[in-house]
Amino acid sequence: MASGSRPWGALLLLLLLLPAACRAGGGCAGEGGPLEPFDALYATGVEAYYGGDFAGAARCLERALRSRRELRDTRLRCRRLCRGQVRLVAPAPGAGGDLPFFSSVLRRAGCVRRCEEPRLGAASRHRAAEEVRADFQRRVPYSYLQRAYIQLNKLEEAANAAHTFFMANPEHMEIQQDIENYKNTAGKVSLIDREAKQHMEDYSAGVKHYDKEEYKLAIDFLESALQGYYSEDEDCQIMCEGPQRFEEHEYLEYKAGLYEAIADHYMQVLACKHDCVRELATRSGRISPIENFLPLHYDYLQFAYYRVGDYIKALECAKSYLLFHPDDEDVLENASYYEGLLEGTVDPDTVKPRKEAKTLLRRHKLESHLLQVAAAGLGYTYTEPNYWNRYGARQDEHSVPSSISSEPEEGPRLFLAKKPMPKSDRELKEGGPLLYSDVKFVYNSQQLNGTQRVLLDNVISEEQCQELHRVASGIMLAGDGYRGKTSPHTPNERFEGATVLKALKYGYEGRVPLKSARLFYDISEKARRIVESYFMLNSTLYFSYTHLVCRTALSGQQERRNDLSHPIHADNCLLDPEANECWKEPPAYTFRDYSALLYMNADFEGGEFIFTEMDAKTVTASIKPKCGRMISFSSGGENPHGVKAVTKGQRCAVALWFTLDPLYRELERIQADEVIAMLDQKHLGPSEMDINPKDEL
C-alpha cells in the first residue's frame, strides 16, 4: 500500500463496528483494563486523520503501535513462562499411555490463557484482518503519523516517522524529498528507525567498521549482533506457536481426525519455526533475506580476530562457519593457517565451534527432516529452501573484497563469490521495422538510458483515442482486473479497467458501439505486431494480459501526496531494491517477456511513466503520456518502472503484457479471437482502422 494510503477494506468494517464514542476519538482518550486491539486503534486514528483531527490521529496511531508491540510482548512472556512451568511429558507405552502427554498439553494451554487474559482479554479481540497486518508489516501507520506530525508542527517526530516508513518502502521517491526537507527545515535530525531490528543494526555497524579495518569495533558489533540474533531466534520460535492458517481447508468443512488435525497444525508451526532463519535475515519491508546471513557473522569474525591477534577466537569462528559450509576451501585454508599459528601453545583440537551454532544447526536439520517426512507421508506440500547459499550476490550495501591484498600470499583470505548475471535465453535485438507507415519512432534503448526499450508516437490517431475513451467510460469497472480492489495501487486515485473480451461482449450486446468495442481488440493486435517486429523476435509473441485502464485523481486527497500512482516494480520478477536484485519467482508473472503501454490522452496532471535503476530510486527516463504514444520494453529486472501520482484529471491507457511461451497465452484473448471469428462470419466486419502493415523497410 502506498504512503499515506487509506486501508479501505478491513478498516472500513472496523469503523462501522466501533461505538460512536470511540469513532469520535474517545477510544484513545485513556488506558485501562484489557489491552485495546491495535486494529481498532488504527482504524480510529485513520478516521481522525481524514477528519482533520491530527492530534487525535497521532495519539491513536501511537497507541496502535504500542498496542501491537505489547500484544507480542505479552504473548512472548506468557508462552516463555508456561514453557518453564509446564513441561511436556513423553507418552508412555500401553493403553492410556498418551494421557500424561495430553494432560501436560492441556495444562500448558491453560497456563498460557490464564497468563494472557488479564492483560489481553479474550483472544478473539486481537485477531486483526490480513490487510491490517500487512499495513503494519509495511509500516503504513508511520506514513499517517508523518503527515499528522507535520500538521502539528512536530518536525522531529515527523522526520522519524518518515524515516521509519522509508526503511520499509524505499521505492517511494517522494518520501526521500520529504526527509531532505526535514533536514533543511529542522536542522540536525536524528532520523531514527523506530522499528529497527537491533541485531540487524549491529551487524550493519560491524560490517562498516570491518570495511574501515577497524577490527576491534567490528568484533564488538558483530558479537553483539550474534547475541541478538540468537535471542531473536528464540522469540521467533515461540511466536510460531500461535494460530495458523490452513489455506487448503475451509474451516467449517474441515473434519480431520485427531492425529491428522494435530499433524496439520504442527506442520504449519514447524514450517514457521524452520523459516525463522529467513525471517531474521530479512530487512523490514524487503522481499528476500541477506544471503548466508548467520554464517557471514562467523566469516567476518574469523578474519577480524586474526587481525587483532586472537588466533584462538579466529579458529573458533572459522570452525563455526564450517559447520554451515564444511567444503568452503578458503575458510578451510584459513582454519589450517590459524592452527599453524597456535602450534606449540594450544592444541587446535581443543578449540571447538560455538555451541549455539551447533545447537541451531542441529535443530534446523531435524526440522527439515520432519518437514520432508510430512511431505512424503502426509501429502504436505513443502520444498526446502537454500537458507545459507554462500554463492549469491551480497544482500546488503557493503562489499567485502575478494581477497585481502595487504596479507602475504600464505595468509588467511575472505572470499565471497559473486553470482554471475543470468544469461538471456535469446539474443537481444532491436531496431526492426515498425510495420505501419503512420507510426513514428521517438527514442531507442540507448536514448532511454536502458536495455530493450522503445518509445513510439502516432500508434493510433486522435479520433481513435477519443473513440477508445468513450468505450472505456461505458465498460470499465472500478479495479477490474485486480480482484475487485477499487484502488489496487493507491487509494488517492480511482482505478478502473476492462479486458478485451468484456469490451467485445458489451459491443455484441449493444451496450457500446460494436465498432468501438472492436477497436480495442484491433489496436492491441497492432501493438503486438509492432513490438514483435521492432525487437526482432524470432518466435511468435503472444498476449499474456490486455487491460484498458484509467486512473482518476480523487478530489480532496491530493494535498502533499508522497506516493506513486503505481510503485516501482518489474513485470516478471520481484524487485528487491536493497539487494539490487529482481527475483524471478512467484507471485511474480515470471512468464511475461515484453510489456507495452499505449496512451489515450494527455489532459491530466502528473502521471509520468518512469524507468529507474534497480535501486527503485534513480530515475533513468521519464515519459509524459499523450494520445497515440506507446512505450514498450522487456519485462525483466533490467526495466524497473512505475507511474508518478496522477494529481488532477484522468489518465487512460491500454496496458499490454506479452509472452513467448504459448502455454501462458491469455485465455480471454483466445475467447476474444473466437468472438471476432463469429462476428466476421456474421459480416459484422472489422473496425474502420487500417491495420494492414506497410511493406517492410
Side-chain angles (χ1 to χ4, degrees):
M1 185 173 293
S3 166
S5 57
R6 185 190 303 219
W8 286 104
L11 285 179
L12 182 59
L13 178 60
L14 277 168
L15 287 167
L16 293 173
L17 295 176
L18 289 173
C22 184
R23 292 200 304 271
C28 294
E31 299 188 47
L35 184 69
E36 294 170 277
F38 71 88
D39 55 347
L41 290 166
Y42 179 38
T44 307
V46 170
E47 186 181 41
Y49 174 87
Y50 283 106
D53 178 11
F54 300 110
R59 183 171 61 250
C60 289
L61 290 166
E62 291 285 12
R63 288 274 299 280
L65 291 164
R66 290 200 303 272
S67 174
R68 182 170 176 264
R69 284 193 291 269
E70 186 172 348
L71 175 65
R72 184 178 188 272
D73 291 344
T74 300
R75 287 172 170 169
L76 272 172
R77 176 176 57 81
C78 289
R79 291 172 191 177
R80 188 178 286 113
L81 174 72
C82 293
R83 272 187 171 192
Q85 290 185 353
V86 183
R87 301 289 183 183
L88 297 182
V89 179
D98 56 349
L99 292 178
F101 168 73
F102 284 112
S103 173
S104 63
V105 170
L106 295 174
R107 285 187 288 114
R108 182 177 288 187
C111 174
V112 171
R113 175 165 294 189
R114 288 191 302 273
C115 179
E116 289 184 353
E117 279 190 345
R119 184 62 185 126
L120 303 185
S124 59
R125 299 175 73 245
H126 301 283
R127 292 173 183 167
E130 183 178 356
E131 183 179 1
V132 176
R133 293 198 304 271
D135 273 9
F136 278 80
Q137 181 68 23
R138 294 201 58 197
R139 304 185 179 184
V140 174
Y142 287 99
S143 179
Y144 288 111
L145 270 178
Q146 179 205 190
R147 294 298 164 201
Y149 280 134
I150 289 174
Q151 296 295 328
L152 299 171
N153 200 32
K154 295 184 176 181
L155 299 184
E156 182 75 21
E157 291 87 343
N160 288 336
H163 180 66
T164 302
F165 175 80
F166 179 69
M167 294 305 292
N169 299 272
E171 74 277 8
H172 287 279
M173 296 178 296
E174 288 84 357
I175 209 163
Q176 291 185 70
Q177 186 59 53
D178 287 343
I179 292 172
E180 291 301 318
N181 292 340
Y182 292 134
K183 290 179 180 178
N184 296 330
T185 303
K188 185 178 180 181
V189 291
S190 52
L191 294 181
I192 295 171
D193 180 359
R194 293 176 50 182
E195 297 286 338
K197 297 178 180 179
Q198 191 57 49
H199 74 283
M200 280 282 191
E201 297 293 298
D202 289 340
Y203 172 80
S204 296
V207 172
K208 288 179 181 178
H209 287 298
Y210 180 96
D211 288 342
K212 295 177 182 178
E213 299 186 3
E214 299 169 348
Y215 296 111
K216 288 185 178 180
L217 287 172
I219 289 169
D220 290 342
F221 278 103
L222 289 168
E223 290 286 14
S224 179
L226 273 177
Q227 184 177 355
Y229 180 96
Y230 286 109
S231 176
E232 286 291 327
D233 177 68
E234 182 182 353
D235 288 351
C236 182
Q237 297 278 314
I238 292 172
M239 289 305 296
C240 284
E241 295 174 0
Q244 299 292 328
R245 295 182 61 197
F246 298 89
E247 297 180 355
E248 297 180 5
H249 305 289
E250 288 290 339
Y251 180 76
L252 295 178
E253 299 176 0
Y254 185 44
K255 301 184 183 299
L258 172 64
Y259 293 104
E260 289 86 351
I262 292 173
D264 265 356
H265 194 99
Y266 182 67
M267 285 302 104
Q268 298 284 346
V269 170
L270 189 62
C272 174
K273 290 184 174 184
H274 196 57
D275 209 45
C276 283
V277 169
R278 182 186 301 277
E279 173 71 20
L280 268 61
T282 304
R283 300 182 188 276
S284 297
R286 302 303 189 265
I287 298 168
S288 300
I290 299 173
E291 290 187 8
N292 205 28
F293 181 62
L294 178 58
L296 271 176
H297 288 70
Y298 296 109
D299 201 5
Y300 281 120
L301 282 169
Q302 58 96 7
F303 195 82
Y305 274 119
Y306 161 74
R307 294 302 295 265
V308 300
D310 192 337
Y311 306 137
I312 293 177
K313 288 286 189 181
L315 180 58
E316 176 187 80
C317 290
K319 288 185 175 182
S320 300
Y321 179 88
L322 290 169
L323 291 173
F324 301 91
H325 303 301
D327 59 344
D328 190 305
E329 294 181 1
D330 299 308
V331 180
L332 284 169
E333 289 181 12
N334 288 0
S336 178
Y337 183 80
Y338 303 145
E339 289 175 353
L341 292 174
L342 292 171
E343 189 174 349
T345 57
V346 176
D347 182 359
D349 291 338
T350 63
V351 180
K352 304 294 184 183
R354 295 195 178 178
K355 290 182 179 179
E356 66 270 19
K358 291 180 66 175
T359 300
L360 182 142
L361 194 57
R362 182 168 56 248
R363 186 198 74 210
H364 195 74
K365 288 179 177 178
L366 181 56
E367 290 168 351
S368 177
H369 172 71
L370 290 177
L371 288 165
Q372 290 170 14
V373 167
L378 300 176
Y380 182 82
T381 303
Y382 180 75
T383 302
E384 176 76 5
N386 188 343
Y387 288 99
W388 293 305
N389 177 13
R390 70 181 186 277
Y391 298 111
R394 291 180 58 75
Q395 298 299 296
D396 59 275
E397 66 272 29
H398 310 290
S399 62
V400 176
S402 60
S403 64
I404 307 301
S405 58
S406 61
E407 288 305 305
E409 187 65 28
E410 67 273 13
R413 295 168 292 168
L414 179 57
F415 281 100
L416 286 176
K418 295 286 184 179
K419 179 170 59 179
M421 291 295 291
K423 293 182 179 179
S424 175
D425 56 0
R426 63 182 184 276
E427 185 180 359
L428 299 181
K429 299 179 181 179
E430 64 176 285
L434 298 179
L435 300 182
Y436 300 87
S437 58
D438 48 351
V439 176
K440 178 184 176 183
F441 170 82
V442 182
Y443 294 133
N444 60 18
S445 293
Q446 184 177 4
Q447 294 164 315
L448 290 169
N449 300 313
T451 303
Q452 294 281 279
R453 301 174 181 178
V454 65
L455 182 65
L456 307 171
D457 277 346
N458 299 338
V459 175
I460 57 176
S461 67
E462 186 69 39
E463 293 75 16
Q464 290 160 353
C465 286
Q466 294 174 2
E467 186 174 355
L468 198 58
H469 201 281
R470 286 193 294 270
V471 173
S473 62
I475 64 175
M476 289 192 303
L477 293 177
D480 193 24
Y482 286 86
R483 300 180 181 177
K485 291 186 178 180
T486 57
S487 299
H489 305 303
T490 170
N492 298 311
E493 300 170 15
R494 184 174 69 252
F495 186 94
E496 300 167 292
T499 62
V500 167
L501 182 62
K502 181 179 177 182
L504 289 173
K505 284 184 175 179
Y506 273 38
Y508 186 72
E509 294 167 0
R511 301 193 200 185
V512 296
L514 181 57
K515 183 187 72 169
S516 301
R518 178 151 184 178
L519 176 65
F520 182 12
Y521 176 93
D522 289 337
I523 66 166
S524 59
E525 172 60 22
K526 181 179 183 180
R528 185 197 69 80
R529 290 176 60 88
I530 293 171
V531 172
E532 183 182 77
S533 177
Y534 178 81
F535 289 113
M536 305 172 71
L537 303 176
N538 56 12
S539 58
T540 302
L541 195 63
Y542 301 96
F543 287 97
S544 168
Y545 191 56
T546 313
H547 203 207
L548 194 160
V549 296
C550 291
R551 306 165 187 268
T552 307
L554 297 179
S555 61
Q557 292 184 210
Q558 303 306 313
E559 184 180 358
R560 304 195 71 170
R561 277 185 66 180
N562 66 349
D563 64 334
L564 298 178
S565 178
H566 197 148
I568 304 300
H569 64 287
D571 286 340
N572 71 9
C573 52
L574 304 173
L575 188 64
D576 187 346
E578 181 73 15
N580 273 333
E581 284 280 3
C582 203
W583 307 99
K584 202 164 183 179
E585 57 190 42
Y589 300 101
T590 57
F591 46 84
R592 290 178 176 172
D593 294 298
Y594 283 89
S595 310
L597 292 155
L598 175 57
Y599 299 109
M600 295 160 49
N601 66 315
D603 55 340
F604 55 87
E605 293 181 6
E608 293 89 348
F609 177 94
I610 53 174
F611 286 114
T612 73
E613 298 284 7
M614 290 277 281
D615 61 7
K617 304 173 188 177
T618 307
V619 175
T620 58
S622 179
I623 294 145
K624 179 66 177 176
K626 69 175 185 177
C627 168
R629 172 163 286 179
M630 185 173 83
I631 180 72
S632 184
F633 48 93
S634 55
S635 303
E638 67 279 4
N639 283 317
H641 59 279
V643 179
K644 288 190 174 182
V646 178
T647 55
K648 185 177 180 180
Q650 184 183 66
R651 173 191 191 272
C652 294
V654 176
L656 303 138
W657 293 272
F658 306 104
T659 179
L660 293 167
D661 189 341
L663 293 176
Y664 292 100
R665 294 176 64 187
E666 181 183 11
L667 177 60
E668 286 207 4
R669 189 76 192 194
I670 297 173
Q671 295 171 321
D673 292 340
E674 295 171 353
V675 172
I676 290 295
M678 179 187 67
L679 294 176
D680 288 345
Q681 288 177 357
K682 293 185 177 183
H683 306 291
L684 296 178
S687 69
E688 295 177 357
M689 183 180 77
D690 175 18
I691 60 170
N692 295 316
K694 67 179 181 180
D695 293 334
E696 293 189 1
L697 299 176

